[in-house]
C-alpha cells in the first residue's frame, strides 16, 4: 500500500515529522517497507526565465540562450528545443544535476564550441510525462529561482506500507490515518460526504447472486466530458505507481486508494438492457481490461447485461464496456462482493488486481452510499453532467457482533497494564462503540474482530508492544529438567551427525507442485487455498524439494552436492486421516571425489555411498544396526510407498524384521531425475525417524562396557553359495549361530568362477569368538564351528574343503 505524506495529511491533522510517522506506523503493526521522495532527484532543477535566444554560430538547430536563474548573473545555455524563445519560463538543470530519464550528470561543457552551463529540460527528461517535443513551459507568474520540486508540489515522500491480510481497513489512506490518530499522532479529520443533485430514477441494476454480490448500488451521470484528470490527482497517482488514464478512470482509482472503496465505471452507450450481478454460465468468456480473454466457471460472480458479460465481479472490468474519450453517459458501480467468492475466482483465473486485493480482505459494507456519493460528486466536478438517482439492489451485511470486554484482559492476556479509561479512548478512536458496562461493538470496517482477545490486540498495539515488560518464565528451584521429547532428541542427533559427515542442511517448502508430487505417488493432501499452483500439494516426500535444490546447484556449476533435510512428510493413514511422518532425507549428486593423479577420473556417488550414510545415521540415532536386514524396495504395484521413484536394481531398504522399514537407500530412478531436469545420477537416503524403536522406559538399554579379560579368537570359513545369496543374509545367519560366543562376523573375500553348470561363487567369512571366564577348548571351538556350518547350510551354503 503506497501513499504520499501530503496525501496522508489530507486525512490526518498532525505536526509530526516524517520520521516520527514512519516509526509509529511500524510500531502499531503497519510495517514500513520503504520511503522514496521523487522530489529529491529534482532538487538541483530550478525555475528559470529565458532572457535572450540567439542562433548557434555552428549549428542551425541549436540556440544559445541567456537564462535568468534568480541569482543575478545570467547563465549561458545551449538548447536544441524548437519552442525555446526569449521571455518563456522553463526548468533549468544546473551543473551537478542528474537527469532522471538517462542518469546523465550535467556539467559545464562546450557544445559545438559554445560553453553551456546546464540544460533546459523537457517533461520526458524529468520523467514527468511523455512530452519530448520541446522544453517545459511554465506559467508567466512562476517564481524564477525557486526549486522546481517545491513549485510543482512533487517534493512529497512516498511511503510504502505492508498491510497484513486481516487489516482490510488500512487498504485506504484514511484507514491508515485513523490508526495514526488512535496512536496519538494527531486528529482524524472529518470526512466530507457531498450530496450531489440528482434528477430522475437510478439505473436499472439488480443482483441475482446474493451470495457472491449481496449488494449492488449504482448511479448514472449523463452529459460528461471525459478529459484528463487534474494535475494534483495525476501527481498523486503517478507517485504511487498508478498510470493516469482519464478523469473517469482516475477518479475510481483515486477513491479506491484514498478511501479503500473499489468502484467501476461503465460506458452506458455500450450496455444493452439491465446490468445484473449473477453467476457466470460455464464457458462464458470476457475480454478484460488487461487485454486477456478469460473463460469463466459457473461459481464465479460476474456483472452482465442482456447480451454479454462485462465485468469479473470485484476483480477486473471488461474491455467492451470501458469508458473512452468519446464517452458521454456513464454508470458508476459501487457493490459489495463476498471475500470468499472473490478469492476463489481470482485463484482459478490466476488474476490479481488492486480491487481484488481489497474485496477479498473485506471492504466496509456500510460505505456503499457514501463511497458512491463521493465518486459521483467528483465526476460532476471534473467531467460535468447530470446525475440520476441511486439504485440500491440487495442488502450489504451490516450486522456486527458485540462482545463483553474485561479491561483486565490487557494485563492477563497481553501482559501490559493499561488504565481502563485509556483502553476506552483507544478503542473509541479506532471506531469501536463501547457502552458503560464494556459491551464493545466493532466498526463496520473491522470485520476481523472476532472476540475479546482481538480487542486486547488492538489496545496493546496502539499502546505499544515495546512497553510490554519482559518477564522470565517461572522455573522450579534446582537443576532444570530436560524439556526435549525423545523424538526431538533423535532429530538433534541425526541432524548433528549428518552435518558432521559433511552434508549441508537444506530447508525446503512443505508445499510442492502437483506434477512433482505425482512423481512420488501423488500427495494425500491438496490445499484448497494455495498461495500459488506451485505450492498446492503437501509433500509426500522430502525428495522433491531436495532434488530441486540439486538441480539449481548443478546448473550453477557445483561439482558435488551433498544435502540433507529433517522434516515432515504428509500422508494419510488407513482411515484416511492426516498422518505426519518425521523423516531425514539426504541426496548425493555429482562427484564423490574430484579427479586426481591416484584415481584419475572423478569418482561419482553410488548406492553403496548411500548405504554407508544410512547405516551411520541409523547408528547415531541408536538403531540396532547389527540386526538390520537389507531387503528390496517394493514398487507401487507391490504395495510399496513411492517405490517407483527408486532404481529397481540399485536400491534397497533397511528393515528391523520383515515389516518395519527404517530406511530406503540407493539410486533414484532415471525417470525421476528427468522430471527434475537433472543430468547424471543421484544417490539418496530416506530415514524414517518415526519407525525407530523407542528406548526402554527405565534403566539402560545395555550394560556398561567392561573390557574382556581374555583375548578374542578368530576363525575363517569359506562357503560355496548360490549367486543370488546376499552376503548380509549369510553374515546374519552366522552371527545367530551362537550368540554367546560369536561377537562379530564379516565377509572378507568373494570369489566367482565360471563352470559348466554356471557361475560358482565363494564367500569367505571371518568369525570373531570371545571367551568369557576361561579360554575355549578345542571341543568348544569345534562345537561353535559346527553351529556356524549348520546355520550357513540352511541358506544353501556348503563349506569348502
Amino acid at each position: 500500500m503506497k501513499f504520499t505524506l501530503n496525501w496522508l495529511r489530507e486525512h490526518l491533522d498532525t505536526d509530526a515529522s516524517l520520521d516520527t510517522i514512519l516509526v509509529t506506523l511500524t510500531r502499531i503493526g503497519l510495517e514500513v517497507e520503504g520511503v522514496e521522495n521523487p522530489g529529491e532527484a529534482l532538487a538541483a532543477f530550478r525555475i528559470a526565465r529565458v532572457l535572450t535566444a540567439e542562433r548557434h554560430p555552428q549549428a542551425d538547430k541549436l540556440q544559445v540562450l541567456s537564462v535568468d536563474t534568480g541569482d543575478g548573473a545570467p547563465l549561458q545555455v545551449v538548447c536544441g528545443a524548437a519552442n525555446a524563445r526569449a521571455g518563456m519560463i522553463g526548468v533549468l538543470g544546473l551543473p551537478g544535476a542528474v537527469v532522471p530519464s538517462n542518469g546523465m550528470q550535467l556539467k559545464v561543457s562546450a557544445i559545438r564550441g559554445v560553453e553551456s552551463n546546464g540544460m533546459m529540460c523537457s517533461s520526458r527528461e524529468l520523467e514527468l510525462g511523455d512530452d519530448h517535443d520541446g522544453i517545459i513551459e511554465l506559467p508567466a507568474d512562476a517564481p524564477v529561482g525557486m526549486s522546481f520540486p517545491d513549485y510543482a508540489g512533487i517534493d512529497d515522500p512516498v511511503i510504502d506500507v505492508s498491510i497484513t491480510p486481516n487489516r482490510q481497513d488500512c487498504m485506504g489512506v484514511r484507514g491508515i490515518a485513523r490508526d495514526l490518530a488512535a496512536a496519538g499522532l494527531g486528529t482524524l479529520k472529518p470526512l466530507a460526504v457531498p450530496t450531489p443533485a440528482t434528477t430522475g430514477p437510478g439505473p436499472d441494476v439488480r443482483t441475482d447472486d446474493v451470495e457472491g454480490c449481496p449488494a449492488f448500488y449504482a448511479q448514472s451521470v449523463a452529459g460528461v466530458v471525459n478529459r484528463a484528470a487534474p494535475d494534483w490527482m495525476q501527481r498523486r497517482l503517478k507517485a504511487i505507481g498508478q498510470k493516469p488514464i482519464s478523469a473517469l478512470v482516475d477518479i475510481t482509482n483515486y477513491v479506491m486508494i484514498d478511501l479503500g472503496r473499489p468502484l467501476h465505471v461503465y460506458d452506458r452507450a455500450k450496455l444493452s438492457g439491465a446490468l445484473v450481478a449473477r453467476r457466470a454460465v460455464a464457458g462464458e468468456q470476457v475480454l478484460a481490461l488487461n487485454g486477456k480473454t478469460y473463460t469463466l466457471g459457473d461459481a464465479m460472480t460476474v456483472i452482465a447485461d442482456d447480451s454479454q458479460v462485462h465485468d469479473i465481479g470485484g476483480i477486473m472490468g471488461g474491455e467492451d464496456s470501458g469508458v473512452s474519450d468519446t464517452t458521454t453517459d456513464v454508470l458508476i458501480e459501487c457493490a459489495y462482493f463476498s471475500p470468499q467468492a472473490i478469492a476463489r475466482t481470482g485463484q482459478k483465473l490466476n488474476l490479481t488486481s488492486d480491487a481484488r486485493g481489497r474485496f477479498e480482505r473485506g471492504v466496509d459494507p456500510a460505505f456503499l452510499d457514501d463511497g458512491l456519493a463521493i465518486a459521483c460528486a467528483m465526476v460532476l466536478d471534473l467531467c460535468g453532467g447530470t446525475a440520476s438517482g441511486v439504485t440500491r439492489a440487495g442488502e450489504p451485511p451490516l450486522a456486527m457482533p458485540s462482545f463483553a470486554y474485561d479491561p483486565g484482559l490487557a494485563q492477563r492476556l497481553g501482559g501490559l497494564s493499561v488504565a481502563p479509561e485509556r483502553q476506552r479512548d483507544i478503542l473509541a478512536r479506532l471506531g469501536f462503540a463501547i457502552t458503560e458496562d464494556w459491551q464493545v461493538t466493532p466498526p463496520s470496517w473491522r470485520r476481523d474482530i472476532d472476540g475479546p482477545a482481538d480487542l486486547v490486540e488492538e489496545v496493546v498495539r496502539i499502546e505499544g508492544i515495546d512497553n510490554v515488560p519482559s518477564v522470565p518464565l517461572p522455573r522450579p528451584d534446582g537443576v532444570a529438567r530436560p524439556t526435549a521429547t525423545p523424538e526431538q532428541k533423535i532429530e538433534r542427533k541425526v541432524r548433528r551427525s549428518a552435518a558432521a559427515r559433511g552434508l549441508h542442511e537444506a530447508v525446503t517448502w512443505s508445499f510442492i507442485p502437483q506434477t512433482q508430487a505425482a512423481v512420488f505417488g501423488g500427495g494425500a493432501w491438496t490445499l484448497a487455498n494455495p498461495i500459488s499452483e506451485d505450492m498446492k500439494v503437501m509433500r509426500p516426500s522430502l525428495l522433491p524439494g531436495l532434488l530441486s535444490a540439486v538441480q539449481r546447484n548443478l546448473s550453477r556449476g557445483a561439482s558435488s552436492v551433498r544435502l540433507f533435510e529433517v522434516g515432515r512428510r504428509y500422508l494419510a493413514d488407513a482411515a484416511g486421516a492426516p498422518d505426519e511422518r518425521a523423516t531425514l532425507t539426504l541426496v548425493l549428486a555429482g562427484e564423490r571425489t574430484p579427479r586426481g593423479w591416484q584415481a584419475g577420473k572423478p569418482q561419482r556417488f553410488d548406492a553403496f555411498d548411500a548405504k554407508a550414510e544410512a547405516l551411520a545415521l541409523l547408528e547415531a540415532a541408536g538403531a540396532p544396526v547389527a540386526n538390520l536386514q537389507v531387503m528390496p524396495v517394493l514398487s507401487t504395484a507391490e504395495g510399496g510407498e513411492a517405490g517407483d521413484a527408486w532404481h529397481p536394481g540399485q536400491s534397497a531398504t533397511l528393515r528391523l524384521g520383515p515389516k518395519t522399514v527404517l530406511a530406503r537407500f540407493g539410486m533414484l530412478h532415471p525417470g525421476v531425475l528427468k522430471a527434475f531436469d537433472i543430468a547424471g545420477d543421484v544417490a539418496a537416503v530416506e530415514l524414517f525417524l518415526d519407525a525407530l524403536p523407542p528406548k526402554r522406559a527405565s534403566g539402560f538399554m545395555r550394560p556398561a562396557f567392561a573390557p574382556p579379560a581374555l583375548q578374542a579368537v578368530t576363525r575363517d570359513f569359506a562357503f560355496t553359495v548360490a549367486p543370488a545369496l546376499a552376503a548380509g543374509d549369510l553374515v546374519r545367519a552366522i552371527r545367530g549361530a551362537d550368540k554367546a560366543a560369536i561377537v562379530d562376523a564379516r565377509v572378507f573375500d568373494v570369489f566367482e568362477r565360471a563352470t559348466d553348470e554356471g557361475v560358482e561363487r565363494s564367500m569367505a567369512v571371518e568369525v570373531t569368538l570371545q571367551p568369557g571366564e576361561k579360554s575355549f577348548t578345542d571341543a568348544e571351538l569345534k562345537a561353535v564351528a559346527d553351529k556356524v556350518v549348520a546355520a550357513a547350510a540352511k541358506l544353501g551354503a556348503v563349506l569348502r574343503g
Side-chain angles (χ1 to χ4, degrees), residues 347-533:
Q347 289 164 6
K348 288 182 179 179
L349 298 179
N350 195 25
L351 178 59
T352 60
S353 67
D354 290 331
R356 174 191 167 183
R358 287 163 173 80
F359 275 123
E360 72 179 353
R361 281 175 163 89
V363 299
D364 183 1
F367 197 66
L368 293 173
D369 274 313
D370 290 350
L372 187 56
I374 291 171
C376 182
M378 294 181 75
V379 170
L380 294 174
D381 183 42
L382 301 180
C383 302
T386 303
S388 73
V390 177
T391 301
R392 300 174 179 85
E395 292 291 337
L398 299 177
M400 295 297 294
S402 183
F403 309 106
Y405 180 65
D406 177 8
L409 281 176
Q411 171 66 46
R412 298 196 302 272
L413 193 59
L416 184 62
S417 178
V418 182
E421 288 310 309
R422 170 60 178 160
Q423 295 189 50
R424 184 184 293 272
D425 179 63
I426 289 174
L427 294 174
R429 283 171 172 259
L430 291 172
F432 293 79
I434 311 149
T435 63
E436 288 297 325
D437 59 348
W438 286 97
Q439 198 73 19
V440 181
T441 304
S444 58
W445 57 81
R446 290 303 302 273
R447 321 240 358 136
D448 59 306
I449 302 299
D450 196 33
D454 292 327
L455 301 178
V456 172
E457 180 184 354
E458 294 300 299
V459 170
V460 172
R461 75 178 182 86
I462 296 298
E463 187 69 9
I465 197 168
D466 291 343
N467 296 324
V468 176
S470 298
V471 179
L473 292 173
R475 56 165 291 177
D477 296 333
V479 178
R481 295 179 180 178
T483 58
T485 64
E487 293 78 11
Q488 290 173 330
K489 291 179 179 179
I490 289 177
E491 288 187 15
R492 290 177 185 175
K493 286 181 179 179
V494 295
R495 178 179 280 112
R496 291 173 179 172
S497 180
R501 294 182 61 81
L503 298 167
H504 301 283
E505 184 171 11
V507 179
T508 65
W509 291 106
S510 298
F511 317 104
I512 60 175
Q514 185 89 46
T515 53
Q516 292 186 4
V519 176
F520 294 88
W525 305 103
T526 300
L527 301 184
N529 186 23
I531 297 174
S532 69
E533 284 298 314

Side-chain angles (χ1 to χ4, degrees), residues 517-522 540-541 543 569 632-653 655 664-665 667-670 672 686 688:
V519 176
F520 294 88
S541 169
L543 282 170
R569 296 178 297 137
V633 176
L634 298 180
S635 66
T636 303
E638 297 169 323
E641 175 195 316
D644 296 340
W646 296 84
H647 196 299
Q650 301 179 35
S651 61
T653 60
R655 306 190 183 203
R664 280 196 292 255
F665 70 90
M667 309 304 293
L668 294 178
H669 196 284
V672 172
E686 285 185 305
F688 307 127

Side-chain angles (χ1 to χ4, degrees), residues 529-654:
N529 186 23
I531 297 174
S532 69
E533 284 298 314
D534 287 341
M535 303 182 73
K536 188 175 183 179
V537 180
M538 302 292 288
R539 64 186 180 193
S541 169
L542 275 65
L543 282 170
L546 290 174
L547 289 177
S548 296
V550 167
Q551 191 277 332
R552 286 193 298 272
N553 281 273
L554 293 178
S555 64
R556 286 161 175 76
S559 59
S560 181
V561 180
R562 307 165 187 246
L563 299 176
F564 81 94
E565 180 176 9
V566 179
R568 298 292 188 272
R569 296 178 297 137
Y570 301 93
L571 310 171
D573 61 16
D579 188 15
E580 295 185 19
R581 301 290 184 90
T583 308
L584 181 145
T585 302
L586 65 89
V587 289
L588 306 169
E591 300 175 359
R592 176 165 54 88
T593 56
R595 64 179 181 175
W597 62 270
Q598 289 179 312
K601 294 181 179 180
Q603 303 298 309
R604 307 190 70 84
F605 292 105
D606 57 26
F608 294 104
D609 295 311
K611 182 181 181 181
E613 298 294 341
L615 291 173
L617 295 177
L618 285 171
E619 187 171 11
V625 175
N627 299 332
L628 297 182
Q629 299 177 359
V630 178
M631 299 180 68
V633 176
L634 298 180
S635 66
T636 303
E638 297 169 323
E641 175 195 316
D644 296 340
W646 296 84
H647 196 299
Q650 301 179 35
S651 61
T653 60
L654 292 171

